[in-house]
Amino acid sequence: MTEKQMVEDANRRFMDKVRQATIDTGLPLVPDEKTLDPLYVSSRDLPLKFIIPVAKVRPFFDALREGRLTATKCKRCGQMYFPPQADCFRCRSSQMEYVGLSREALLMAYTVINVKPFSFMQYGDYVVAIGRLPEGLNVLAWMKGMEAAKIEIGMKLKLVINRREPEGVYTYWFEPA
Amino acid sequence: MEPVAIAGVGVSKFGRRTDARMDELAWEAFSEALDDSGMTQKDVDQFVVSSLGGWSSEFLPAVVVGEYCGLSSKPTMRVEAACASGSAAAFQAYVAIASGQADVVAAIGVEKMSESPMPTTVEFIGRAGNYFWEFENFGLTFPGYYALYATAYMDKYGAKEKDFAEVAVKNHYYGSMNPKAQLQKRVTVEDVMKSRYVAWPIKLMDSSPITDGAAAVIFANGNKVKRFVKDPVWVRSIGASSGTSNLSKRDGFLGLDAAVTAAKQAYRKAGIDDPRGKFDVAEVHDCFTIAEVLAYEDLGIVGRGEGFKLAKEHQTYKGGTLPANLDGGLKAKGHPIGATGLAMLAELKKQLTQQVGGQRQADIKKGWALAHNIGGTGHYAFVTTLSLERGGV
């Protein structure tokens, strides 16, 4: 059983208990497994699904589909933003151009996510890295293609842009250069 | 500016509190603070509630807590500064009193983290950064954020995982003597090293637990409410700062800039030129062991790259350079997000007035204490100085 299935399985068994308790007693009360304190299990579920506007940074996603990672650059003062932002807080201009970023970076920091958020449990352990680009901007992304034990701070990385499965969504990640 | 004193403190038992709802936990702490101060609800002008929430059922914690504690009709609000929410509540109370807007303000911090299934709570904490740019595609977790700092720090200064483990050993040692702590078991460096990785190089036993708990601090104008302020501890300064939401926007990963700024501000406001040797005791934000090491440096107690040596040399035990987290810290006492900052101040008030006693009681010689409370990964920072002397105000 995968990690995700184990969590789902435990949740199913717990909810079975709640349903049985409700049938037997008319109350959704179950004892806590450790303390035996009675817990009232709410009947109201709330799945969270966020729907996020990207109208103001749409060109970033168009470029990503074409295999380019872009930052925004203020046409007035030259300030660059990554992640891209539509408004320059320095000179209050919203006249931005999208500039392609270098594909090379140096590794500044990394970690291996061993205990994953539930919504990422379909993946094996993954490396999250922060790389510094020659432009002086940092990018945070996954790092693939290298055993975690061999990774060294300061090593050269390259940025890869492609679809990531199983979602099939365009994103970017690092690989050893 | 009006002088701000801590008139009373209370802390609930921390842990997996399956016996109590959020409002019941808040009462446990607030009623103790009322007892400690000799006040009743009538004496309180305003109350402010710190709670992060998401994992708990009540969406408006301030009014739920207010109703349960008999404070309804008084001005209130909920404040959020992630894991530093408690300090944000203290900051709000401090500003209200110092400015003359109120004479007595209760700051009540509470977090009910076990009200959702564990995976939900873990997922929410992992989103404590920038959701869209750094969580959506990259699935960071809270230990993951600090692990980025840990790998950069280890590479630069040669610190080892077992050096960080020393922080856990110390904090569990003191937690074992704190009846309100969640984890009251002593551990060894080997125990920490054997625990499983959660975000390499951070292991389960480098991490603070998921905690239910509450803490309350009643602040009062020292000029106007003298009859209540018997053994006063004075808030001498609060320094506050913030950092970028995206970790990729940080210049480096060797310290938390927000903490450095907050500390400098707190020292300047309190007239402290050099923090070294100034404080009898400190509470520092040890959500992970690396965080406590960074705290020693960000607070200016030691130089860059020296923090792990301080831990290794046991200089932050009682009697050392800076006794830190003598209540067990977030690591062993527990980390109920919204309550943590206020629990720090509650502990320091008891330390300075020597009400702690036993092996956990710091030697109080200078009468100064220091609190360092971080929200997220240097997303928010508050540094508070407390003193037995009132100072110039």
Side-chain angles (χ1 to χ4, degrees), chain A residues 7-171:
Chain A
V7 171
E8 284 167 342
D9 199 54
N11 187 48
R12 206 173 301 120
R13 274 182 279 126
F14 180 74
M15 288 315 297
D16 285 345
K17 259 200 284 185
V18 176
R19 261 187 297 277
Q20 195 56 51
T22 309
I23 291 164
D24 293 347
T25 68
L27 285 172
L29 292 186
V30 292
D32 180 76
E33 277 182 7
K34 284 180 193 155
T35 62
L36 302 180
D37 285 324
L39 299 170
Y40 190 108
V41 182
S42 167
S43 311
R44 315 296 161 203
D45 290 349
L46 176 65
L48 284 177
K49 173 68 82 184
F50 298 117
I51 302 156
I52 302 165
V54 292
K56 285 171 181 273
V57 289
R58 175 69 191 258
F60 170 84
F61 292 98
D62 292 338
L64 200 63
R65 283 186 60 210
E66 291 161 10
R68 289 183 302 121
L69 189 68
T70 52
T72 50
K73 185 176 182 183
C74 175
K75 284 182 179 171
R76 192 184 293 171
C77 76
Q79 176 77 20
M80 284 175 76
Y81 294 92
F82 187 86
Q85 72 181 55
D87 305 290
C88 179
F89 61 71
R90 282 214 318 194
C91 68
R92 298 185 211 164
S93 165
S94 300
Q95 298 297 309
M96 294 292 207
E97 58 183 325
Y98 286 77
V99 294
L101 293 172
S102 314
R103 294 299 184 85
E104 302 132 41
L106 293 178
L107 181 65
M108 293 181 82
Y110 71 101
T111 179
V112 187
I113 305 296
N114 310 105
V115 175
K116 295 168 278 289
F118 179 71
S119 63
F120 278 80
M121 278 183 186
Q122 62 272 35
Y123 300 102
D125 291 2
Y126 46 87
V127 175
V128 177
I130 296 180
R132 175 154 292 180
L133 273 45
E135 292 89 334
L137 297 169
N138 300 333
V139 172
L140 181 145
W142 281 13
M143 180 171 167
K144 299 192 198 181
M146 190 175 210
E147 236 182 284
K150 290 186 180 158
I151 299 172
E152 279 182 33
I153 304 266
M155 66 182 288
K156 287 183 181 169
L157 307 173
K158 66 173 180 199
L159 266 170
V160 178
I161 296 150
N162 211 332
R163 290 190 185 204
R164 196 172 77 196
E165 303 303 336
E167 294 91 344
V169 167
Y170 275 102
T171 183

Side-chain angles (χ1 to χ4, degrees), chain B residues 101-161:
Chain B
Q101 287 288 310
D103 292 336
V104 176
V105 182
I108 305 170
V110 63
E111 208 68 61
K112 185 67 198 156
M113 299 181 74
S114 74
E115 225 170 64
S116 282
M118 179 85 89
T120 306
T121 303
V122 169
E123 174 120 10
F124 266 120
I125 310 173
R127 297 177 175 203
N130 189 287
Y131 178 84
F132 187 54
W133 294 109
E134 296 194 346
F135 183 87
E136 169 72 16
N137 278 318
F138 308 125
L140 272 160
T141 58
F142 196 42
Y145 291 111
Y146 269 98
L148 292 167
Y149 280 83
T151 53
Y153 185 96
M154 290 164 75
D155 176 70
K156 173 87 175 176
Y157 302 120
K160 304 286 180 222
E161 285 177 59

Side-chain angles (χ1 to χ4, degrees), chain B residues 6 10 23 52 63 115 130 175 177 221 225 236 248 250 292 321 328 352 355:
Chain B
I6 293 180
D23 43 6
L52 182 56
V63 289
E115 225 170 64
N130 189 287
M177 295 180 276
N221 182 323
V225 285
R236 295 298 295 273
S248 66
R250 307 283 172 89
E292 178 158 332
T321 306
L352 284 174
Q355 290 175 301

